């Protein structure tokens, strides 16, 4: 398995991966809610490649299939260009195999080289696998966002995490 930057040619398999990861019901998008189409993803990927503080990486398994992604979303504002928000998703069949760690380590290396100093992310308070991953990688819990998501008519809290890079 390896991690690389996403390309426009990944648009169709990435759309399928996003749909599969959303089906886990622990992501921002409700299963089936995301309207990720290959043509729209191609444009998004192309735009990201020209944004200095944002990147999208994918994990590719031994069968050359996409099995995870990490998206680093930054901006160019003077006061906040040192930080990026991280969104990670791993296909359910690939969880527990080090995909998340590999993606996060790759993203952190890119971020350091891009001048990003602070990484931020959120996860549901009951997503123990994600909490364990982030904690093992040195992310610190910063706070709780109460009743921030409504999943199947039930309000859920999110944990805020951050990591300062050197």
């Amino acid at each position: 398995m390896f991690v690389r930057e996403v390309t426009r040619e990944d648009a169709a398999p990435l759309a399928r991966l996003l749909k599969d990861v959303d089906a886990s019901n622990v992501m921002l998008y409700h299963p089936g809610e995301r309207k990720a189409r290959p043509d729209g993803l191609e444009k998004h990927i192309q735009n990201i490649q020209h944004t200095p503080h944002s990147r999208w990486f994918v994990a590719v398994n031994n069968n050359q299939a996409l099995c995870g992604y990490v998206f680093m979303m930054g901006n160019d504002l003077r006061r906040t260009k040192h930080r990026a928000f991280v969104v990670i998703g791993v296909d359910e069949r690939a969880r527990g195999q080090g995909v998340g760690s590999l993606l996060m380590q790759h993203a952190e290396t890119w971020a350091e080289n891009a001048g990003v100093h602070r990484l931020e992310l959120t996860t549901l308070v009951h997503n123990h696998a994600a909490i364990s991953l982030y904690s093992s990688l040195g992310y610190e819990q910063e706070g709780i966002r109460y009743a921030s998501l409504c999943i199947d008519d039930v309000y859920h809290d999110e944990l805020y995490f951050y990591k300062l890079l050197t």
Side-chain angles (χ1 to χ4, degrees):
M1 175 181 0
F2 63 95
V3 174
R4 62 170 171 75
E5 191 169 341
V6 73
T7 67
R8 291 175 58 195
E9 291 75 27
D10 293 320
L14 183 59
R16 286 189 297 276
L17 177 62
L18 290 167
K19 180 182 175 186
D20 291 346
V21 170
D22 289 346
S24 70
N25 215 23
V26 295
M27 303 300 285
L28 176 63
Y29 285 90
H30 185 77
E33 181 178 33
R34 187 190 307 256
K35 304 300 179 209
R37 294 188 353 245
D39 57 338
L41 280 173
E42 275 187 44
K43 289 179 185 176
H44 183 67
I45 290 166
Q46 186 174 7
N47 290 338
I48 290 299
Q49 291 171 335
H50 300 292
T51 306
H53 297 104
S54 298
R55 279 298 179 277
W56 204 335
F57 300 100
V58 289
V60 181
N61 66 20
N62 295 337
N63 296 326
Q64 302 305 306
L66 303 186
C67 60
Y69 63 86
V70 63
F71 179 63
M72 313 286 286
M73 186 171 25
N75 66 68
D76 295 328
L77 299 175
R78 281 183 173 176
R79 295 182 181 187
T80 59
K81 69 181 181 180
H82 69 283
R83 69 183 189 203
F85 191 81
V86 180
V87 177
I88 182 172
V90 176
D91 185 280
E92 206 162 357
R93 296 166 296 219
R95 291 183 186 154
Q97 299 175 26
V99 176
S101 294
L102 191 62
L103 282 163
M104 293 296 285
Q105 290 164 357
H106 191 90
E108 288 177 18
T109 299
W110 170 82
E112 283 183 307
N113 292 331
V116 175
H117 176 65
R118 177 186 165 97
L119 298 178
E120 306 170 336
L121 54 86
T122 63
T123 190
L124 289 163
V125 296
H126 64 269
N127 190 347
H128 302 293
I131 293 167
S132 177
L133 170 65
Y134 304 143
S135 297
S136 73
L137 294 171
Y139 286 77
E140 299 284 335
Q141 185 178 328
E142 189 166 41
I144 299 175
R145 189 192 239 180
Y146 294 98
S148 62
L149 296 177
C150 185
I151 302 171
D152 299 325
D153 298 322
V154 177
Y155 292 104
H156 294 270
D157 303 337
E158 287 179 290
L159 297 177
Y160 266 99
F161 283 88
Y162 77 97
K163 183 173 184 177
L164 299 180
L165 306 175
T166 56

